[in-house]
Amino acid sequence: MTITYRNIILATCCLSFIFAGEGKAQSAKKKAKATQEAPAQKAEPNERERQISEALFLDGMKYFMLEDYQQALQLFQKAYTITPDNAALNYKIGETYLHLQEPSSAMPFAQAAVKLNHKNAYYYLLLAQLHSEQKQYDAAAQAFNALLNNVPNSDEYLFNLADLYLSQSRFDDALRTYDRIEKVFGDMEQLHVNRQQIYLRQKNVDKAIAEGEKLLNLNPSEITYFLSQAELYNATSRPNEAILTLQKALRLEPGNPFAHLMLSDLNRQKGNLAESEKQVKQAFTSPSLDIDTKVRILVDFIRQLPNPQIENVALDLVDLTIAAHPNEAKAYAVAADLQTIVGEKESARNNYLKAVKLDDSHFKIWQQIVLLDAELEQSEAMVKHAEQALELFPNQAVFWFYSGTGHLIEKNFEKAVKALEYGKRLSVGEPELVQQFNLQLGDSYNSLKKYQKSDQAYEEVLALDPNNEHVLNNYSYFLSLRNENLENARQMAERLIKQHPNNPTYLDTYAWVLYKMGNYTEARKYLEQAVAISDDATLVEHYGDVLFKLGKKEEAVSQWQKAKLKGEASAFIDKKIKDRKLYE
């Protein structure tokens, strides 16, 4: 049991009686000196003075009950000037100071109350509380011990003393106090629980296990004690005893999910993976295993991925979670997290979409959706989902980026520029994100033939990242198509192939710049390297163009025919083949 200090507030009428009694008792005594901080003693109050003091006290109690502690204190202090040796009055002044959050001012009055009447439990309780408020824990313990020694039938306060010791981590004192409690009140379940917690904090697992056995003997049908005991056996590397304890628990409560989870963990530790998988699935089928616990377990699986040994069971568990919690957004979200890691991107994206239908407030889930749209190369879906996210998070630049990128891929260049420019303005102060916007703006403005803005965007990227592959490739290629600043285009393309000598796209770009500069022999050399690596239609068609410029018409036509078979050649491919002539 626990006694709180709120219990010590006495009713007004009761206090009146106590007050009167205290006064009569003290009138028979002679005082050698006043209590601490009390004024010098005056002559013993007469009956009339005691009545005045009692009236002031009762008026003070009215204000005290109304929680007007300042007014109550003033009246109590007036009464105190008449009857300073009244224990109840000292107690009440101390309690009032406590309510006013002035424990140091309350202390001498509480001490006086105890000295004047050492048989009242409430006075000791106030004194103990005041010491505790001032972090004088040893003195608080002394106050409790004095209460127990001086007040008859006060054994119930042993619980308070034990709690005090426990709060100070004085574990041995707390244990001794529990022994005292047991002698008075007999064997109690809570005593074993408290002792076990202390032993665990002392890292004395053997004694904690012994207390656990006592709990099981006292409560043979309490499954939580079986689970706790199994955890202790596991902590001391006694898995077989833990398993036996859990099996007993399941006989008491078949299907208990926490018992199955522990059995799964124990069997995994012993290398029994099939049994471990069976037990965790049984736990997940239990309707009493809450969604948050399942999510925590699945997150633990996610941390272990990629791992072929656990992928299948993890995927089965997310299916079981969704089946059991079809209206929980977090069930779909954690399933999608796991599916993303194991490469099931389509399923992951669809589960994220189901999650936001149930709860659309999570920014990171929307971010995962548009990212997966991009990885799945579904630009139309990326635009749709980015714009849905922007309705919820209009100031998140990342969604403007994906919206703009999707529009760029869909060849909606005006919409792409609008979205990308807006997102870029939101990204001020984030240089890396601004770089990404400039990459896409360079491509978008080029497609709109706004070449000055396109070049400016590319130059901004190169100013911070001079070896950016995307810009070096696209910028140099677009300059070559425009026949502008070809030397700069050649330098950028040359820098790129020095870094990536086996990339067919970059080899083609460099060759095409050389082609535009009239250096057909060098262009042929790099295109031959490119087509040896890739049969991309554009590369093959470019190779045919260079051969034509070098006077190798038949070989050129042959390459154009190969390019046409790929289906991705230029709009001039049919005319080139038909007329056996170069068109640009």
Side-chain angles (χ1 to χ4, degrees):
M1 65 182 292
T2 302
I3 303 299
T4 65
Y5 292 118
R6 287 191 296 273
N7 298 119
I8 67 177
I9 297 177
L10 304 177
T12 303
C13 59
C14 183
L15 276 166
S16 174
F17 174 78
I18 292 173
F19 184 88
E22 294 283 356
K24 290 174 182 176
Q26 294 302 330
S27 65
K29 298 180 182 179
K30 294 183 179 181
K31 300 293 179 290
K33 57 180 179 177
T35 58
Q36 185 180 355
E37 293 190 8
Q41 287 297 305
K42 64 176 186 176
E44 191 74 24
N46 58 37
E47 185 64 26
R48 173 63 178 165
E49 288 172 327
R50 282 198 298 272
Q51 290 176 355
I52 293 171
S53 178
E54 182 176 350
L56 289 167
F57 179 82
L58 291 173
D59 285 343
M61 276 304 304
K62 294 175 185 177
Y63 285 104
F64 185 92
M65 300 300 286
L66 293 170
E67 300 184 6
D68 186 347
Y69 299 119
Q70 286 288 1
Q71 186 63 38
L73 182 62
Q74 290 179 22
L75 292 164
F76 291 152
Q77 286 171 331
K78 287 181 181 179
Y80 181 84
T81 62
I82 302 171
T83 55
D85 292 336
N86 186 287
L89 179 56
N90 277 276
Y91 164 75
K92 211 63 195 176
I93 292 174
E95 188 182 26
T96 306
Y97 271 124
L98 177 62
H99 280 291
L100 291 169
Q101 298 182 354
E102 297 182 38
S104 60
S105 298
M107 183 62 74
F109 295 98
Q111 290 170 331
V114 168
K115 185 175 181 181
L116 291 164
N117 182 352
H118 60 275
K119 297 296 183 182
N120 190 312
Y122 293 124
Y123 300 170
Y124 290 100
L125 291 175
L126 175 61
L127 185 59
Q129 183 176 8
L130 290 171
H131 282 305
S132 296
E133 290 280 337
Q134 298 174 88
K135 303 188 186 308
Q136 299 163 354
Y137 299 115
D138 286 341
Q142 290 174 11
F144 274 117
N145 278 307
L147 185 162
L148 291 161
N149 291 331
N150 295 321
V151 179
N153 302 315
S154 59
D155 291 327
E156 61 196 87
Y157 296 111
L158 284 167
F159 295 94
N160 301 66
L161 179 60
D163 289 344
L164 180 65
Y165 284 139
L166 201 57
S167 70
Q168 300 171 69
S169 298
R170 291 172 58 175
F171 299 130
D172 290 337
D173 287 329
L175 288 169
R176 280 191 287 271
T177 306
Y178 291 141
D179 290 342
R180 291 174 65 185
I181 292 171
E182 192 169 57
K183 287 178 182 178
V184 176
F185 296 100
D187 198 6
M188 299 174 67
E189 178 181 346
Q190 191 59 43
L191 292 179
H192 295 297
V193 171
N194 292 355
R195 284 182 179 126
Q196 187 178 60
Q197 292 303 311
I198 288 175
Y199 290 136
L200 288 173
R201 291 172 72 174
Q202 292 180 323
K203 303 189 185 308
N204 192 335
V205 182
D206 288 338
K207 283 193 174 182
I209 288 175
E211 291 297 329
E213 291 297 336
K214 292 176 184 177
L215 281 168
L216 289 175
N217 291 332
L218 281 172
N219 301 275
S221 62
E222 181 53 63
I223 194 166
T224 57
Y225 292 147
F226 283 93
L227 298 179
S228 297
Q229 195 72 349
E231 287 182 358
L232 290 175
Y233 281 132
N234 187 30
T236 52
S237 301
R238 294 155 70 177
N240 292 333
E241 290 175 80
I243 289 172
L244 287 173
T245 303
L246 291 167
Q247 289 171 343
K248 291 178 184 177
L250 287 172
R251 284 196 289 273
L252 281 173
E253 188 180 311
N256 182 281
F258 300 101
H260 285 299
L261 287 174
M262 291 177 67
L263 281 170
S264 174
D265 186 51
L266 287 161
N267 279 286
R268 180 183 56 77
Q269 292 175 35
K270 296 183 72 174
N272 301 332
L273 299 183
E275 182 63 20
S276 174
E277 181 177 330
K278 172 187 171 184
Q279 291 293 336
V280 73
K281 286 182 179 178
Q282 282 184 272
F284 269 63
T285 58
S286 171
S288 58
L289 187 63
D290 61 284
I291 180 66
D292 291 325
T293 300
K294 290 177 181 177
V295 168
R296 285 195 296 272
I297 294 167
L298 290 169
V299 167
D300 188 54
F301 272 97
I302 289 170
R303 292 193 184 107
Q304 299 176 59
L305 296 173
N307 181 345
Q309 286 188 326
I310 65 170
E311 277 185 18
N312 288 335
V313 64
L315 290 169
D316 288 344
L317 292 179
V318 296
D319 289 341
L320 289 171
T321 302
I322 289 172
H325 308 277
N327 297 316
E328 286 279 3
K330 61 184 72 175
Y332 297 99
V334 73
D337 289 343
L338 196 148
Q339 289 163 337
T340 299
I341 293 173
V342 302
E344 294 189 4
K345 295 180 180 180
E346 187 89 34
S347 297
R349 194 269 311 274
N350 292 339
N351 274 324
Y352 280 133
L353 287 171
K354 291 175 182 176
V356 295
K357 280 185 179 179
L358 294 166
D359 180 0
D360 63 6
S361 65
H362 295 281
F363 163 80
K364 289 185 177 179
I365 294 180
W366 283 105
Q367 189 175 27
Q368 283 295 101
I369 290 170
V370 293
L371 178 61
L372 286 168
D373 287 333
E375 292 180 3
L376 291 166
E377 299 183 359
Q378 296 181 9
S379 53
E380 186 177 351
M382 183 163 62
V383 170
K384 175 185 174 182
H385 297 142
E387 292 182 353
Q388 287 175 339
L390 284 169
E391 292 179 8
L392 299 163
F393 308 100
N395 294 322
Q396 290 292 338
V398 64
F399 296 127
W400 290 104
F401 176 81
Y402 282 108
S403 173
T405 300
H407 281 304
L408 173 60
I409 297 169
E410 292 288 301
K411 302 188 186 305
N412 299 321
F413 303 120
E414 292 285 359
K415 290 182 178 180
V417 164
K418 184 177 179 181
L420 293 167
E421 286 286 10
Y422 191 85
K424 181 180 174 181
R425 287 195 295 274
L426 289 175
S427 304
V428 174
E430 298 182 63
E432 292 184 2
L433 191 52
V434 170
Q435 288 282 83
Q436 296 301 314
F437 278 104
N438 279 325
L439 288 175
Q440 306 298 59
L441 282 168
D443 294 351
S444 301
Y445 279 126
N446 181 78
S447 297
L448 290 170
K449 303 187 185 309
K450 295 182 179 181
Y451 300 127
Q452 184 177 356
K453 289 187 174 182
S454 174
D455 293 354
Q456 181 182 349
Y458 288 143
E459 292 291 349
E460 286 183 28
V461 174
L462 293 176
L464 295 175
D465 183 9
N467 293 317
N468 186 280
E469 295 177 39
H470 180 94
V471 172
L472 290 176
N473 182 69
N474 286 19
Y475 192 12
S476 58
Y477 186 68
F478 292 152
L479 286 175
S480 71
L481 293 179
R482 287 152 44 192
N483 285 313
E484 291 180 10
N485 207 350
L486 292 176
E487 179 55 28
N488 184 35
R490 186 195 67 77
Q491 291 176 13
M492 287 190 290
E494 184 178 47
R495 192 188 318 162
L496 193 57
I497 63 166
K498 283 181 179 178
Q499 297 172 32
H500 307 279
N502 297 315
N503 186 300
T505 300
Y506 299 162
L507 289 167
D508 173 63
T509 297
Y510 185 52
W512 196 245
V513 173
L514 294 172
Y515 173 87
K516 286 290 189 172
M517 296 178 79
N519 192 343
Y520 304 123
T521 301
E522 282 294 296
R524 176 184 179 179
K525 182 174 76 173
Y526 287 101
L527 277 167
E528 285 177 344
Q529 293 178 39
V531 297
I533 301 169
S534 170
D535 60 354
D536 178 83
T538 300
L539 273 65
V540 174
E541 184 176 359
H542 284 173
Y543 183 41
D545 294 351
V546 169
L547 290 173
F548 189 90
K549 286 289 190 180
L550 291 170
K552 300 182 180 295
K553 184 183 294 187
E554 295 302 322
E555 293 180 40
V557 172
S558 175
Q559 295 300 321
W560 290 337
Q561 289 171 336
K562 286 182 183 179
K564 181 181 178 181
L565 290 174
K566 296 294 177 184
E568 298 174 357
S570 72
F572 297 112
I573 193 69
D574 288 329
K575 199 169 184 182
K576 288 180 181 180
I577 295 169
K578 179 182 178 182
D579 297 343
R580 303 171 67 82
K581 184 178 177 181
L582 180 63
Y583 293 97
E584 295 180 304

